[in-house]
Amino acid sequence: MADRLARFIEKNLADRKLIIVSNREPYAHRKSGPTVKIEKPAGGLTSAMDDVLNITGGTWVAWGSGNADRDAVDLDDRVAVPPDHPSYTLKRVWLTPGEVENYYHGYSNQVLWPLCHITLDRVYFRKRFWEDYARANRSFAAAVLEEASDDAVIWVHDYHLCLVPQLVREKRPGATIAHFWHIPWPDWSVFRICPQAKEVLEGLLGNDLIGFQIPLFVKNFLDCVKECLDADVDYHKLTVTYHGRITALKAFPISVDYEKFSAMASTRRIEAAIRDIRKKYGLSGYTGIGVDRLEYTKALLKRLQALYLFFERYEKFRRKFTFIQIAVPTRMKEPYLSYQKTVEEYILRINEKFGTSDWLPIVYIDTKVEHKDLVAYYRMADVAIISSIYDGMNLVAKEYVASQADRKGALILSEFAGAADELDGAVLVNPYDVEEFSSSLRKALTMPQPDRERRMDQLRKHVKEHDIYKWIHDVLHEIVDVAEREQNRSRYLFDHEIGFRAAISQVQPFLFLDFDGTLAPIAESPDKAVLSHTMHALVTRLKDRIPLAIVSGRGIDDVRRRVGIEDIIYAGNHGSEIWSAGQTLVSQQSSPDRMALEELLRRLSSALSHIPGVLIEDKGVTASIHYRTVGIKNLADFSDLFNRIARDYEKTFRITSGKKVVEIRPLNAWNKGDAVSWILEQLGGGRTPMYIGDDVTDEDAFQVLKGRGGVSVSVGGSVHADYYLRRQDEVEPFLESMASLVGAGVPSRA
Ligand code: ADQ
């Protein structure tokens, strides 16, 4: 898998600079007596990202937190790393002690961390936290800007740096910026507590791509944007369009270096190490393992409560089962110090209550254990316990699985850890239900060996196939795709009006206009959409000067009635009908797929009938399923049911999502692009097409225009249009300026 990633990087990222941005640095210089030591954090993610930069070169921007870091950098705060074979640049950002306090311990760890983990009474907000968070983010962004040209690929990590994407975007509009959010994203009822909900979301929407651990967090994020910002949220495409920019969202479950753990766990050395551990702690019988930062969201207390109950309820396990808790102190401030004290007191209580002269129920190791040594604990343990009350993923679960070379262990996993989404074969527990939790521990320890092996085989297969290299590959692959889309992305029309006017004044235009979302604002339901008087007058003025066609997803009669201007051309049903001067010129109404469409609509109507707000519009050849007024609670249900049925018709229909509407069209029916081509060939008189539309179905027309030297304008974001307008209410002023331009006499009606 690592080789595949290396090949992908060499092929796709060789000519663009990759910049990683994270709070923690991959190498820290620390004074150790008279010498300076270089520390490398043990984390699997850091070392995998380090591998990537070793291949690509590039820069890693991070906080210089080591006490000898300043001595190691050059005048631009850079140092070449890895120290023994430098292949990329580490650029350090300096934070004042006050910023560390307020940005890191304050806003990051006392506001965003507890908020995202829904431990709401731990959220502690101070104004100065936010001020320094914003200041520190500006420092990170400034460092990125010093390194990044306009075509850089920038990959930001985690919740410390929410504002960086937007700050960088303002100065480097052409850069590709992606973010991975390592922790959960809560739903809106929780996120709305954040006093800076809007600023945080806006900062993140500077990204082209935001990755989350599991689909639930993607959905929660979309809900928050929908509730908090005036943005266009697409639950099918998983995109947000805000101020004309598109941000894509996707779930990428993070993982571990399976081969490394598996190989380390299969050596002879490990067996000797296990013997040493057993001897050191006097272990006989079963063992369990917990490996965590001393972090309240990992719920060590719930785990200890379950262990207490376990020893109380199942006496036969006393002296036969020992639980080893490896807990590394973290963040070393309140509330962590109190939490550590409570955990340690609870362990003492269990050991005093159930321990004997030659057996301790709980062995407590309160230091960091290097992965190479940790593997022996993982391999030895009959059971591992992950009890998080909420967790983005939880890598310990996957490290344990990867280290179970002899497949005899069982994994007890909180259903609230992201890993539970993927790890079929684990024994899932609700950590709040401590009684059930203690029964699950018994179940795991008494599970017949063939069952354990079957479950562990299933788990190992999954982690092997979805390791950290696949994760990086998948994220980078998506980043490259987004970058490609970005290259073709359109420009905001009012920022480029001079160029646009120059382009138009050189040619004789033929104007194509979409109706819903372009000439008329999107209405709650399709029957409520109306053309304003001013827009009607404007279109009338334009059609007197240049040839003009309305191209709509609506049926011909419907759109003609709504526009109310007779001497222009209409294309309806997404292009499968064309009408002009009182007669139908093209009609594909007798579609051979009519029966299939009826069947599909029948199935949808019965499956979706319980969801208020779904509107099924049968337009003969095509159909539209509107869900604009479906409540936020029902959206996931709607999309799940819809997709399940739609899958059966992929070979017959083209199914695309528009603005709160899904369009269903026969695969062989004409689209808007076909209609535009036909109109230009038959009626165009050699004119240059100009097209304005807002919908995904307009993309077909935009593509046709590209091949004909035309000019396309999308309302909202677009993949293929040359220019975009931010909102529908910008269409009128734009058409006004068009009218004055063509009225000046240069291009006229043929
Ligand atoms: P964490 O909450 O820090 O990170 P987690 O997934 O629990 O991460 O992994 C912890 C890592 O630290 C593991 O690699 C583990 O081996 C190591 N570790 C823990 N205790 C240790 C000890 N005593 N000695 C040595 N190593 C120890 C966040 C999110 C997670 C998400 C990760 C990655 O909170 O949900 O899985 O990022 O995206």
Side-chain angles (χ1 to χ4, degrees), residues 113 117 180 182-183 213 254 291-293 298 326-328 367-369 371 374 378 391-396 399:
W113 176 273
H117 287 88
F180 189 76
H182 290 260
I183 64 176
Q213 302 274 20
I254 200 168
V291 177
D292 309 79
R293 289 186 296 108
K298 308 289 177 191
I326 303 181
V328 57
T367 53
K368 187 168 164 180
V369 180
H371 277 165
L374 203 51
Y378 283 144
D391 214 334
M393 179 52 56
N394 195 294
L395 295 178
V396 171
E399 290 169 3

Side-chain angles (χ1 to χ4, degrees), residues 426-455:
V427 176
L428 294 187
V429 292
N430 173 347
Y432 293 92
D433 187 349
V434 281
E435 216 152 289
E436 194 55 36
F437 193 166
S438 67
S439 316
S440 298
L441 175 54
R442 179 169 160 274
K443 175 182 158 193
L445 284 170
T446 54
M447 192 184 284
Q449 194 57 28
D451 278 5
R452 290 163 166 269
E453 285 181 12
R454 185 182 45 76
R455 282 172 178 255

Side-chain angles (χ1 to χ4, degrees), residues 629-694:
T629 57
V630 171
I632 201 164
K633 285 198 301 293
N634 290 326
L635 280 173
D637 199 18
F638 166 77
S639 104
D640 188 40
L641 288 168
F642 181 89
N643 290 336
R644 228 179 289 167
I645 295 175
R647 226 170 280 144
D648 296 343
Y649 296 84
E650 272 167 2
K651 295 211 167 81
T652 318
F653 296 108
R654 186 168 167 208
I655 300 178
T656 52
S657 350
K659 292 185 177 152
K660 309 291 181 296
V661 62
V662 189
E663 305 288 1
I664 302 171
R665 292 171 282 162
L667 279 181
N668 54 6
W670 276 20
N671 60 38
K672 290 183 173 180
D674 297 319
V676 167
S677 296
W678 189 91
I679 293 169
L680 286 172
E681 268 147 36
Q682 304 298 319
L683 315 165
R687 284 177 171 260
T688 305
M690 221 197 113
Y691 191 108
I692 312 175
D694 77 308

Side-chain angles (χ1 to χ4, degrees), residues 352-475:
E352 278 174 4
K353 167 100 179 164
F354 301 104
T356 59
S357 57
D358 59 351
W359 171 70
L360 271 185
I362 303 200
V363 169
Y364 179 57
I365 302 171
D366 63 350
T367 53
K368 187 168 164 180
V369 180
E370 296 298 329
H371 277 165
K372 67 177 178 23
D373 303 318
L374 203 51
V375 169
Y377 290 89
Y378 283 144
R379 163 85 192 268
M380 173 183 76
D382 300 285
V383 55
I385 303 183
I386 315 296
S387 53
S388 317
I389 45 168
Y390 213 15
D391 214 334
M393 179 52 56
N394 195 294
L395 295 178
V396 171
K398 294 185 176 182
E399 290 169 3
Y400 175 69
V401 166
S403 307
Q404 275 292 309
D406 53 0
R407 302 136 62 234
K408 69 175 180 43
L411 173 65
I412 298 183
L413 177 60
S414 162
E415 60 189 89
F416 306 124
D421 245 38
E422 290 178 88
L423 293 185
D424 283 348
V427 176
L428 294 187
V429 292
N430 173 347
Y432 293 92
D433 187 349
V434 281
E435 216 152 289
E436 194 55 36
F437 193 166
S438 67
S439 316
S440 298
L441 175 54
R442 179 169 160 274
K443 175 182 158 193
L445 284 170
T446 54
M447 192 184 284
Q449 194 57 28
D451 278 5
R452 290 163 166 269
E453 285 181 12
R454 185 182 45 76
R455 282 172 178 255
M456 192 46 81
D457 278 341
Q458 191 180 356
L459 289 164
R460 285 172 65 78
K461 181 168 184 291
H462 180 85
V463 179
K464 184 176 181 179
E465 287 169 4
H466 299 82
D467 68 356
I468 184 71
Y469 294 102
K470 176 175 178 353
W471 179 80
I472 295 179
H473 175 274
D474 290 352
V475 177

Side-chain angles (χ1 to χ4, degrees), residues 45 52 56 99 104 171 210 271 277 284 287 328 343 416 478 581 609 661 711:
L45 172 66
V52 170
T56 57
E99 282 169 353
Y104 178 70
K171 299 277 191 292
I210 310 176
E271 280 163 25
I277 295 169
S284 60
T287 56
V328 57
V343 165
F416 306 124
E478 197 64 27
S609 61
V661 62
V711 182

Side-chain angles (χ1 to χ4, degrees), residues 508-522:
Q508 297 218 321
F510 193 126
L511 185 57
F512 293 88
L513 296 166
D514 169 46
F515 182 74
D516 295 276
T518 301
L519 290 181
I522 298 276

Side-chain angles (χ1 to χ4, degrees), residues 160-176:
H160 314 89
L161 303 171
C162 291
L163 307 183
V164 167
Q166 185 53 32
L167 291 167
V168 174
R169 170 70 61 208
E170 283 162 14
K171 299 277 191 292
R172 300 283 184 274
T176 304

